[in-house]
Amino acid sequence: MTPFEVVVRWNSSFLRGESLPEEERLASVHVLLQAVCDPETVRQFYRKGGAADGEERYRYPLFYVPPSDKGKKHVTLTRVTPRSHLFSANAYELEILGLLAILGRENELVHEMLSKTKERLSRTCFGRFCEDGECFETSIHVLRFWGRAFPDEMASLEKLLHGIKAHMGDRSRHSGTAFYYRLALSELPLDLVQSEIRSSQNELLRQLGKSYVMNSENDRYVNVMAKYILRNVLSRLPEYEYLKNREPYLSESDGRLHVDVYPLEYR
């Protein structure tokens, strides 16, 4: 498996609330550590992005750069195609490091990479929050990474969350950006995000109850993920806790993806 296939595999498991065997955890950590880029590959990526020297280098990954694909940007977990190398590369590395923070934190190399990435992000605008261009989307990925790698550092989380909340509605966003933000809300400390979830609960419930098409491979990936994200966010509120065991299903009547959103006594 490629590093990103490992990321997708484990994120799918987390979304569904499934447990994968210990041997798969160990194998996944091994795959990800074996995939750390050599320094020359990283330097070449810096040069390609115009950041060969100085502080500008901190805007780009230290350990994992996306695979080259004829100049195409690497898509994100929620299938956003970035316009910039900055967003594409940071999303790629932060997904891998965030997963390693969960699966292999006890590993000395993982600990070192997390520490150095924390230092790198502290030198960037998007690591503290920035609304300009795709720094905004990158800040959302930093928020989720930070929640996985450094969940007790509430001041940093609060600063990122405050900026994202304040600017999410500035302009039209890709649906994958909104769903990635909700994915972060489903994982961050509840005390930090409960008021944000509650303020949008009606829209979340509306989207969860809406049927989604399943006409393509992209539909089957994105729409299933979206349903699980919506379910997991809403089920963090006490009155919707019953949703945590509700599974998306394909209706025979219309061929669309559904989730039953109401308590059984109302059906």
Side-chain angles (χ1 to χ4, degrees), residues 109-125:
L109 177 57
V110 172
H111 181 80
E112 179 184 354
M113 290 194 296
L114 294 177
S115 178
K116 287 184 176 180
T117 298
K118 178 181 179 181
E119 171 64 18
R120 175 177 79 84
L121 293 174
S122 73
R123 294 171 178 247
T124 67
C125 59

Side-chain angles (χ1 to χ4, degrees), residues 23-52:
E23 55 266 30
E24 186 161 351
R25 180 187 73 83
L26 295 173
S28 296
V29 171
H30 177 74
V31 168
L32 296 179
L33 292 182
Q34 287 293 109
V36 173
C37 294
D38 63 85
E40 181 56 30
T41 298
V42 175
R43 282 193 291 269
Q44 288 178 7
F45 188 85
Y46 290 167
R47 287 194 289 269
K48 181 172 65 175

Side-chain angles (χ1 to χ4, degrees), residues 16 214 219-229 248 257:
R16 289 167 167 77
M214 296 285 278
D219 291 339
R220 290 186 287 274
Y221 176 87
V222 171
N223 290 342
V224 170
M225 176 185 284
K227 287 297 187 186
Y228 277 110
I229 291 171
L257 190 69

Side-chain angles (χ1 to χ4, degrees), residues 29 32-33 63-64 96-117 150:
V29 171
L32 296 179
L33 292 182
F63 306 105
Y64 296 97
I96 296 172
L97 291 176
L99 181 59
L100 280 171
I102 295 172
L103 302 183
R105 184 183 291 273
E106 72 283 356
N107 183 282
E108 186 175 339
L109 177 57
V110 172
H111 181 80
E112 179 184 354
M113 290 194 296
L114 294 177
S115 178
K116 287 184 176 180
T117 298
F150 310 106

Side-chain angles (χ1 to χ4, degrees), residues 13-266:
S13 172
F14 294 147
L15 279 172
R16 289 167 167 77
E18 299 171 349
S19 297
L20 296 179
E22 174 66 7
E23 55 266 30
E24 186 161 351
R25 180 187 73 83
L26 295 173
S28 296
V29 171
H30 177 74
V31 168
L32 296 179
L33 292 182
Q34 287 293 109
V36 173
C37 294
D38 63 85
E40 181 56 30
T41 298
V42 175
R43 282 193 291 269
Q44 288 178 7
F45 188 85
Y46 290 167
R47 287 194 289 269
K48 181 172 65 175
D53 300 303
E55 287 288 306
E56 192 69 15
R57 288 180 300 172
Y58 290 101
R59 293 166 62 82
Y60 293 97
L62 295 173
F63 306 105
Y64 296 97
V65 297
S68 177
D69 185 17
K70 299 178 182 178
K72 295 180 181 178
K73 307 299 190 300
H74 196 278
V75 298
T76 70
L77 184 67
T78 52
R79 294 279 174 95
V80 178
T81 301
R83 300 186 302 276
S84 64
H85 285 298
L86 182 144
F87 177 29
S88 174
N90 278 283
Y92 181 79
E93 178 172 76
L94 294 177
E95 289 294 350
I96 296 172
L97 291 176
L99 181 59
L100 280 171
I102 295 172
L103 302 183
R105 184 183 291 273
E106 72 283 356
N107 183 282
E108 186 175 339
L109 177 57
V110 172
H111 181 80
E112 179 184 354
M113 290 194 296
L114 294 177
S115 178
K116 287 184 176 180
T117 298
K118 178 181 179 181
E119 171 64 18
R120 175 177 79 84
L121 293 174
S122 73
R123 294 171 178 247
T124 67
C125 59
F126 55 81
R128 301 183 299 274
F129 179 73
C130 178
E131 72 271 25
D132 294 337
E134 289 193 317
C135 282
F136 178 86
E137 286 79 4
T138 308
S139 289
I140 301 178
H141 281 71
V142 174
L143 173 68
R144 186 177 182 230
F145 163 76
W146 213 273
R148 290 179 150 199
F150 310 106
D152 296 329
E153 299 194 6
M154 297 297 287
S156 295
L157 289 169
E158 287 174 352
K159 185 172 184 178
L160 286 161
L161 184 64
H162 177 78
I164 293 164
K165 286 166 53 178
H167 292 278
M168 179 65 81
D170 285 357
R171 59 180 175 82
S172 177
R173 307 279 182 191
H174 190 291
S175 61
T177 297
F179 274 106
Y180 197 87
Y181 177 50
R182 292 164 181 166
L183 178 60
L185 294 178
S186 75
E187 298 174 346
L188 290 167
L190 185 58
D191 287 349
L192 180 68
V193 300
Q194 187 170 27
S195 63
E196 172 70 350
I197 297 171
R198 189 167 294 286
S199 69
S200 57
Q201 68 182 57
N202 291 338
E203 177 59 18
L204 294 172
L205 192 64
R206 184 192 70 79
Q207 290 193 23
L208 184 62
K210 183 179 177 181
S211 65
Y212 287 3
V213 298
M214 296 285 278
N215 296 333
S216 66
E217 182 277 331
N218 189 67
D219 291 339
R220 290 186 287 274
Y221 176 87
V222 171
N223 290 342
V224 170
M225 176 185 284
K227 287 297 187 186
Y228 277 110
I229 291 171
L230 291 164
R231 182 199 72 173
N232 293 350
V233 175
L234 274 167
S235 65
R236 303 194 79 185
L237 298 177
E239 62 268 39
Y240 296 114
E241 188 177 1
Y242 66 88
L243 288 172
K244 66 183 178 182
N245 295 318
R246 296 288 173 87
E247 292 291 324
Y249 63 91
L250 197 64
S251 172
E252 294 182 359
S253 63
D254 61 10
R256 295 168 71 94
L257 190 69
H258 295 255
V259 174
D260 293 329
V261 299
Y262 295 108
L264 295 177
E265 57 266 30
Y266 293 102

